């Protein structure tokens, strides 16, 4: 009976090819039907791709440069990148919204920043705020965003939709609002600190 000895070179080539194909595919994957973490859950936009990072999740259908939905949780005490304003536990939603807006206005990569709306809003069952604004990105793309945020249990939770104003913003706005409408911050959110 012949002894089968695996071809080591062939095996090494197959492993290298598998690693290369995985790297080329990148971390984007098909979004599941339901999005969830220990602190929140929401319905996923159907047919979109998902990118999960340590501090945010991003979703897009046609490419994140054209449009995306971003879900992020950040500790309230974490400093913003461009504003000197600080968030504190117990701030009112409009005070948190002004801090977020100040950070956006101070961002040197954003030009022609204009606020279209700043109003109270329900964010996953928590009182928060809804911002809508336009700006030119660093490449000159005319962009529009809707940003829902709420300070809850020591975190700023935010859900936002950003898209090229021409063609893409209106195209997927209703899908974003479905995700926002299905969003629930879990009761356990209060007890989890990471």
């Amino acid at each position: 009976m012949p002894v089968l000895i695996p071809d080591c070179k062939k095996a090494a080539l197959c492993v290298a090819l598998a690693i290369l194909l995985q790297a080329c595919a990148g971390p984007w994957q098909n979004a599941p039907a339901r999005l969830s973490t220990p602190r929140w859950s929401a319905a996923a936009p159907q047919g979109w791709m998902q990118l999960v990072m340590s501090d945010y999740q991003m979703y897009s259908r046609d490419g994140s440069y054209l449009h995306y939905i971003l879900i992020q949780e950040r500790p309230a005490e974490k400093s913003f990148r461009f504003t000197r304003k600080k968030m504190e536990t117990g701030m009112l939603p409009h005070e948190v919204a002004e801090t977020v807006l100040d950070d956006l206005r101070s961002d040197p990569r954003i030009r022609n920043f204009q606020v279209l709306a700043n109003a109270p809003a329900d964010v996953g069952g928590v009182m928060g705020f809804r911002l809508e604004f336009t700006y030119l990105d660093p490449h000159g793309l005319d962009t529009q965003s809707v940003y829902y945020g709420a300070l809850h249990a020591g975190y700023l939770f935010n859900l936002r939709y950003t898209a090229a104003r021409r063609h893409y913003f209106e195209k997927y706005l209703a899908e974003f609002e479905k995700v926002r409408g299905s969003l629930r911050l879990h009761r356990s959110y209060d007890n989890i600190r990471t």
Side-chain angles (χ1 to χ4, degrees):
M1 176 177 200
V3 176
L4 296 175
I5 300 173
D7 183 349
C8 291
K9 288 182 181 178
K10 187 184 276 186
L13 180 60
C14 287
V15 169
L17 183 58
I19 291 170
L20 179 64
L21 287 174
Q22 185 177 4
C24 290
W28 286 91
Q29 300 174 359
N30 290 326
R34 188 91 182 139
L35 313 174
S36 66
T37 73
R39 292 188 284 267
W40 59 268
S41 61
Q46 297 302 301
W48 290 43
M49 299 296 287
Q50 174 186 48
L51 173 67
V52 178
M53 303 303 283
S54 62
D55 57 347
Y56 67 88
Q57 294 186 23
M58 182 182 280
Y59 303 89
S60 185
R61 186 178 190 111
D62 300 320
S64 58
Y65 185 69
L66 298 173
H67 70 94
Y68 63 84
I69 293 172
L70 183 80
I71 302 173
Q72 182 181 37
E73 303 162 281
R74 55 175 285 150
E77 68 274 1
K78 183 178 178 182
S79 296
F80 281 88
R81 190 167 178 189
F82 301 106
T83 185
R84 292 183 180 170
K85 290 185 177 183
K86 305 279 184 200
M87 281 192 303
E88 297 174 11
T89 303
M91 288 177 78
L92 297 173
H94 73 274
E95 295 171 321
V96 178
E98 285 303 320
T99 304
V100 170
L101 285 172
D102 194 60
D103 188 61
L104 291 166
R105 284 186 190 105
S106 302
D107 187 340
R109 300 167 299 176
I110 293 176
R111 294 178 293 135
N112 296 357
F113 183 76
Q114 294 184 334
V115 177
L116 305 177
N118 180 355
D122 177 84
V123 181
V126 173
M127 194 56 183
F129 59 90
R130 179 188 185 275
L131 304 173
E132 187 167 349
F133 49 88
T134 61
Y135 62 94
L136 296 178
D137 79 358
H139 306 287
L141 183 66
D142 191 12
T143 305
Q144 189 162 346
S145 288
V146 174
Y147 183 118
Y148 287 92
L151 189 59
H152 182 63
Y155 285 85
L156 171 61
F157 178 89
N158 63 79
L159 169 69
R160 56 189 132 156
Y161 170 63
T162 299
R165 284 181 76 186
R166 188 175 184 183
H167 185 64
Y168 285 95
F169 183 77
E170 290 296 331
K171 184 175 181 178
Y172 295 121
L173 181 60
E175 288 190 58
F176 165 70
E177 289 294 346
K178 283 182 191 173
V179 173
R180 201 258 331 155
S182 71
L183 175 68
R184 294 295 171 262
L185 297 182
H186 300 162
R187 287 185 176 269
S188 62
Y189 198 104
D190 293 319
N191 302 319
I192 298 173
R193 296 284 179 143
T194 56

